[in-house]
Every structure is written in C-alpha cells, then in structure tokens.
Amino acid sequence: MATRNPITIEQPATDLLGTRESARVAVFLRTKSSLYSLTHDQVVRNTCTSLDVPYEKSRLIAIQKWPKLDVLVFDIFYDNYDLNTAHHKVDLPVLLVDYGKASSVVRKTSHEFSEIVNVHVATQHNYHGWNAKPPYFEDQAGHNPPKYENPRDATML
C-alpha cells in the first residue's frame, strides 16, 4: 500500500539506504496521518516500500503510544541482531520517517537523536526481560506509567 500523501526522502537518507547497511528507522505516525488507521505491521510494510527496503529485511522492535502519535522503531538490514545481547546499546544510524497530515519526510537523524533511539531500544529489551520478544509496546497515552515486572537487570525493579 502506498502512502496517500507525498513523501520526501532527503539526500543523506537516500545515501544511507543505498549502502544497504544496518540501520534503525524511527517512525512518527501522527494521528492526522492517513496511515494512522493501519496496523503497525502495515505501516512498517508501507515504510519499507517507500524506502525501497525489502520487508523481509525489517524487524519491528518497539512501539510507543502517545496521545497525538505512535512511535515505531524497526531495524533494517540488521543481520547481526541477537535477542540475547540486544539489551546492550549499539550505534546504528537512524532514519526518521515523519508521517504528517499533508506530507511526509524521511531524514537521517543527528548523532544525538540516534543515541536516544538506540538507548531506548536497548532499554526496552532490558525492561521486558529475557522471555519477551519484540515488538515491545509502551502505552504513554494513559494516566498510569508502564510497569515492567521482570527486567533483565534486577536493579531496575
């Protein structure tokens, strides 16, 4: 399924995609986007199509629900992903796909933003414990903060 609004891919993002090297994709799926009614898996498929990335080379890792948007994080071309060590931060480059109401943009993020995303992914693996598998879901839209009963690191209890 193609996006219903124009998507602009900035040149640094195109350059990174052209390498076919491991990367993370953070998707800001705004409630006003025409894609908001799709399942998260459909959004990942749509995004892969827009980025010319085979869906089979993606892995949805984390979902955050906020009042005005959902944030999805998925890996592309990350063949070295290991669930047993994924609670350790990696330094993958990050692309931001921002699906808005009228248009959408794909950009390569700053080192600082990439750091935030990579730390978040490692933390989600840690919070959800050894037996849980992605995608990890966090509801930040409600009144109660998420609870993690069985983190990998017991000091987080």
Side-chain angles (χ1 to χ4, degrees):
M1 171 180 287
T3 59
R4 297 178 194 129
N5 57 23
I7 189 163
T8 302
I9 303 177
E10 295 179 354
Q11 191 60 48
T14 300
D15 294 344
L16 176 60
L17 288 165
T19 69
R20 297 300 204 221
E21 292 180 6
S22 301
R24 291 223 151 103
V25 179
V27 176
F28 286 2
L29 182 61
R30 299 179 187 283
T31 56
K32 294 187 180 217
S33 168
S34 60
L35 302 179
Y36 193 78
S37 63
L38 300 177
T39 67
H40 294 130
D41 185 62
Q42 289 171 318
V43 172
V44 171
R45 284 179 183 274
N46 184 332
T47 304
C48 285
T49 298
S50 296
L51 301 178
D52 195 25
V53 170
Y55 173 73
E56 299 75 29
K57 289 297 201 174
S58 71
R59 178 182 298 102
L60 182 58
I61 300 289
I63 303 163
Q64 280 187 326
K65 183 156 196 64
W66 292 90
K68 300 249 182 209
L69 80 155
D70 289 356
V71 179
L72 314 176
V73 176
F74 65 94
D75 292 342
I76 55 175
F77 302 113
Y78 190 22
D79 297 331
N80 294 331
Y81 172 84
D82 181 352
L83 181 62
N84 293 317
T85 60
H87 60 289
H88 300 293
K89 184 185 78 69
V90 296
D91 290 317
L92 293 177
V94 175
L95 296 174
L96 174 63
V97 179
D98 191 347
Y99 287 118
K101 180 178 179 180
S103 64
S104 302
V105 65
V106 180
R107 64 179 43 107
K108 187 172 184 235
T109 66
S110 68
H111 177 72
E112 293 79 14
F113 188 85
S114 295
E115 180 81 4
I116 290 167
V117 171
N118 286 317
V119 167
H120 176 75
V121 168
T123 302
Q124 288 305 299
H125 280 85
N126 198 0
Y127 282 163
H128 285 86
W130 292 104
N131 295 326
K133 292 180 175 47
Y136 303 121
F137 181 79
E138 277 184 288
D139 186 354
Q140 299 286 355
H143 297 288
N144 298 320
K147 291 183 181 177
Y148 306 100
E149 304 295 332
N150 190 25
R152 293 180 182 193
D153 181 352
T155 63
M156 302 180 99
L157 288 173

